[in-house]
Amino acid sequence: MKRQLTARNSITALLLAGTLLAGCSSGHTGGAGGKTVTESAPASTAALSKPVKLDIIENASGLPTPDKDFIKQELDKALNTDINLTAYAAGDDYKNQLNVRVASGNFPDLFGVDKSQLKQFAQQGLLLDLTPYLDKELKSVKDFIGADSLKKGTVDGKIYAIAKAPQIPYNTYWIRKDWLDKLNLKAPTTFDELLNVSKAFTEQDPDGNGKKDTYGLTGGKLQAFAPVFGGYGVGNPYISGGAGEFYVKDGKIVNSLYDSGMKDALAFINKFIASGSADPELMANNGLQHQEKAIKGQAGIVWLDWPNVTKEQFADQIKKVNPNAEWLQMAAPKGPVAQNDGSWDIGTAPGLFVIPKSVEKDKAKLQKVFDLLNYVSTKDGSLLVQFGVKSKHFNLEGDKVIPTDLMGKEAGYTWLYQFTGRPEQAYLSVKFAPQVKYIDFANKQPRIQVLNGFLTYPDGYNAADASRFVEEEITKFVYGKRPLSEYDGFLKSLETTMNYKTYMDSAIKQLQTLGYSK
């Protein structure tokens, strides 16, 4: 014990020296937005003698036991803390546990929330208003996540959550190049070509088995047609847990359901589905069923993310099922209005972390939470939670991260400690070096920038019910079960029966407050 304390005191002295040196440094680049960030002081001198316990919970999986959790151990050494992170794999389990703790006043010191929980807890006065701390105590965090991410943690004009730095788009169309070659076709570049190739894949036996058992296009529900909506210059009609996408068009905030191009997009999709070349179970596809169908050779075009096509485990499956299968990543075809590979919600945060207001009474603990958030937002801490321990899981050549074999074997869970996110593309380029060209390709595709992630729902509006109604009615339009001449009537029903007008008015007001249009 004495040896441990001696070692700890030595570390403390080093930390103090490091703090002073960091305070003299001129900063470095490496923030999530490529901005210059300043190294944060790891801890206040008054609290260095005794580790401060930090209780953190989140909805995640893959956390090892504490004795194998080298990220916890390194953070504790750097910050003089005793971090107790609990990860709940099931979303419902996490929600229940969090509700029990909130109801009993037994708050974690840092915990993850979704948008509805953020609004609820903030308006109940349970969360610490971070706004007054951002320019000084949380400056490193502020610089790391960027101005747009700060907006994502806002409720009623105050910032209550740290929104993780943004991710980048993963999805594109993928097409069977070996099928194109067999039928002497080229990858489609227009909507008409897309439909013609899809029909050929359905009717001309591209796998050569003598059976009519293939389709042109598959995907997860209408997301299969995301580039089609993008080609008509409109966002998606519905998204997971929401109805209609908001974006700025010609200087005004527009909702995709009310965009004049929506009916044109639905008319084309209706024509596509009527051709018989789309997966007939398209709207029933859940999870990754469309990926499974693509791997099995049941469809030749799929709108899918690069990991589920190119990661080794899936590439091996594809080759095992059909050694000749060759999937080509494809740019979105040019549409009548634009060429967009769907939309991308710039308001969505990969995660939101909050601090309970009760921690404000314990200044030493609050400082430690700030130290933790700042540390994982600056160079050494950020590298730790991205890649593991330096000289063990990775080495540095200048600013370039060189992974060791141990990174792949041991550092798969480090993202659990990325409370402020990560510089996404640089991170992916190291973790998925063989997939870099697919990552870059997906990230560079033009997309409509959607703002829904910035929004909180007004009281009296049930987003799940509205989304379900929109999905049901849009499905009728694209499958010809309801004529598009009734589209305006559908919008009227949405407004009157789903309280959608209240949501529209609230959303536009929120986005204008954040500086989007006037």
Side-chain angles (χ1 to χ4, degrees):
M1 184 66 179
K2 184 178 179 181
R3 184 175 179 181
Q4 290 175 338
L5 288 173
T6 301
R8 182 175 295 152
N9 289 339
S10 298
I11 293 170
T12 298
L14 289 171
L15 281 172
L16 280 169
T19 302
L20 293 172
L21 287 171
C24 296
S25 69
S26 58
H28 65 274
T29 57
K35 299 176 180 178
T36 298
V37 293
T38 306
E39 292 289 358
S40 62
S44 62
T45 55
L48 283 174
S49 60
K50 183 179 179 181
V52 175
K53 293 186 177 180
L54 295 183
D55 182 19
I56 306 171
I57 66 172
E58 63 178 313
N59 178 200
S61 61
L63 184 68
T65 54
D67 62 307
K68 296 180 180 177
D69 186 354
F70 53 84
I71 300 296
K72 165 193 159 51
Q73 295 160 11
E74 293 295 321
L75 289 174
D76 285 345
K77 281 193 295 185
L79 301 171
N80 198 32
T81 53
D82 181 8
I83 294 173
N84 177 30
L85 173 63
T86 304
Y88 296 88
D92 287 344
D93 190 19
Y94 177 72
K95 192 173 183 179
N96 291 336
Q97 292 290 336
L98 180 58
N99 287 338
V100 168
R101 295 191 62 163
V102 169
S104 63
N106 179 26
F107 292 95
D109 302 313
L110 181 69
F111 57 99
V113 294
D114 59 27
K115 290 287 285 188
S116 63
Q117 290 167 327
L118 173 63
K119 180 187 177 187
Q120 177 190 342
F121 295 156
Q123 293 184 337
Q124 289 175 339
L126 301 176
L127 302 182
L128 179 66
D129 176 11
L130 303 174
T131 314
Y133 298 103
L134 290 169
D135 288 336
K136 186 177 179 183
E137 290 86 353
L138 289 170
K139 186 175 186 310
S140 295
V141 173
K142 179 182 176 182
D143 291 344
F144 183 73
I145 66 175
D148 282 342
S149 289
L150 287 177
K151 298 175 183 175
K152 301 170 190 176
T154 301
V155 177
D156 298 331
K158 296 179 180 178
I159 297 172
Y160 288 96
I162 299 297
K164 284 187 174 184
Q167 295 182 327
I168 58 176
Y170 285 16
N171 280 57
T172 59
Y173 270 147
W174 293 82
I175 191 167
R176 282 286 295 266
K177 183 177 182 302
D178 54 310
W179 285 12
L180 288 171
D181 293 343
K182 181 177 176 58
L183 301 181
N184 197 26
L185 296 170
K186 294 182 179 178
T189 59
T190 66
F191 281 13
D192 286 342
E193 291 177 8
L194 179 70
L195 178 55
N196 289 336
V197 168
S198 182
K199 290 165 67 174
F201 282 177
T202 305
E203 298 166 357
Q204 298 181 25
D205 191 23
D207 59 359
N209 66 355
K211 301 177 183 178
K212 191 176 179 181
D213 57 357
T214 57
Y215 288 99
L217 175 70
T218 189
K221 301 183 183 293
L222 282 189
Q223 284 293 305
F225 293 102
V228 171
F229 289 111
Y232 281 96
V234 301
N236 292 310
Y238 59 88
I239 52 178
S240 177
E245 289 186 327
F246 290 89
Y247 41 91
V248 176
K249 194 171 189 177
D250 299 329
K252 297 181 179 179
I253 296 171
V254 175
N255 178 302
S256 61
L257 293 172
Y258 293 81
D259 193 313
S260 59
M262 177 57 75
K263 282 194 280 190
D264 294 333
L266 296 178
F268 179 81
I269 295 169
N270 171 262
K271 176 182 173 183
F272 201 110
I273 290 175
S275 75
S277 68
D279 176 3
E281 299 173 337
L282 191 75
M283 297 304 296
N285 284 342
N286 284 313
L288 284 172
Q289 285 180 306
H290 52 298
Q291 178 224 31
E292 295 172 9
K293 291 177 179 179
I295 290 176
K296 290 178 182 176
Q298 295 173 343
I301 308 170
V302 59
W303 200 68
L304 192 58
D305 58 279
W306 60 261
N308 278 301
V309 180
T310 64
K311 285 179 72 173
E312 287 78 2
Q313 65 195 90
F314 301 118
D316 289 345
Q317 284 185 34
I318 290 169
K319 289 299 179 186
K320 187 175 181 180
V321 173
N322 184 348
N324 297 320
E326 184 179 356
W327 284 96
L328 176 70
Q329 195 175 24
M330 191 183 98
K334 186 177 181 181
V337 175
Q339 185 176 10
N340 288 307
D341 211 332
S343 59
W344 179 248
D345 193 340
I346 63 171
T348 296
L352 296 166
F353 278 91
V354 296
I355 303 170
K357 187 171 178 57
S358 57
V359 175
E360 197 172 30
K361 299 175 183 175
D362 188 338
K363 298 300 182 186
K365 176 165 286 188
L366 179 60
Q367 183 60 50
K368 284 299 180 186
V369 178
F370 288 165
D371 288 345
L372 173 62
L373 293 172
N374 283 322
Y375 187 62
V376 298
S377 303
T378 47
K379 185 175 181 180
D380 289 346
S382 183
L383 288 173
L384 172 67
V385 298
Q386 288 182 73
F387 307 116
V389 180
K390 184 181 174 183
S391 301
K392 180 178 180 183
H393 299 105
F394 71 95
N395 294 298
L396 285 179
E397 291 182 0
D399 287 333
K400 186 177 181 181
V401 176
I402 308 298
T404 68
D405 291 341
L406 282 180
M407 181 189 288
K409 294 176 182 176
E410 298 182 351
Y413 78 96
T414 63
W415 66 275
L416 295 171
Y417 288 92
Q418 294 167 4
F419 303 118
T420 59
R422 62 204 185 200
E424 183 74 355
Q425 192 160 13
Y427 169 83
L428 292 174
S429 297
V430 174
K431 288 269 184 167
F432 301 98
Q435 286 83 25
V436 164
K437 66 178 181 180
Y438 307 116
I439 296 168
D440 289 343
F441 186 94
N443 188 38
K444 289 178 180 176
Q445 297 308 300
R447 300 172 200 265
I448 297 171
Q449 292 197 337
V450 173
L451 308 170
N452 289 55
F454 291 115
L455 301 173
T456 55
Y457 297 128
D459 295 336
Y461 172 69
N462 189 317
D465 286 349
S467 181
R468 192 178 306 111
F469 175 75
V470 171
E471 180 177 348
E472 290 172 354
E473 297 308 306
I474 293 293
T475 300
K476 292 176 186 176
F477 288 127
V478 298
Y479 278 87
K481 304 297 183 184
R482 187 176 181 181
L484 275 170
S485 58
E486 295 182 7
Y487 188 84
D488 292 344
F490 147 70
L491 289 180
K492 192 69 176 177
S493 296
L494 179 66
E495 293 174 0
T496 55
T497 63
M498 295 291 160
N499 211 14
Y500 201 74
K501 183 68 166 53
T502 299
Y503 173 50
M504 282 280 292
D505 293 343
S506 172
I508 291 172
K509 185 177 180 181
Q510 289 180 60
L511 293 173
Q512 287 175 337
T513 301
L514 293 175
Y516 293 101
S517 185
K518 296 181 179 179

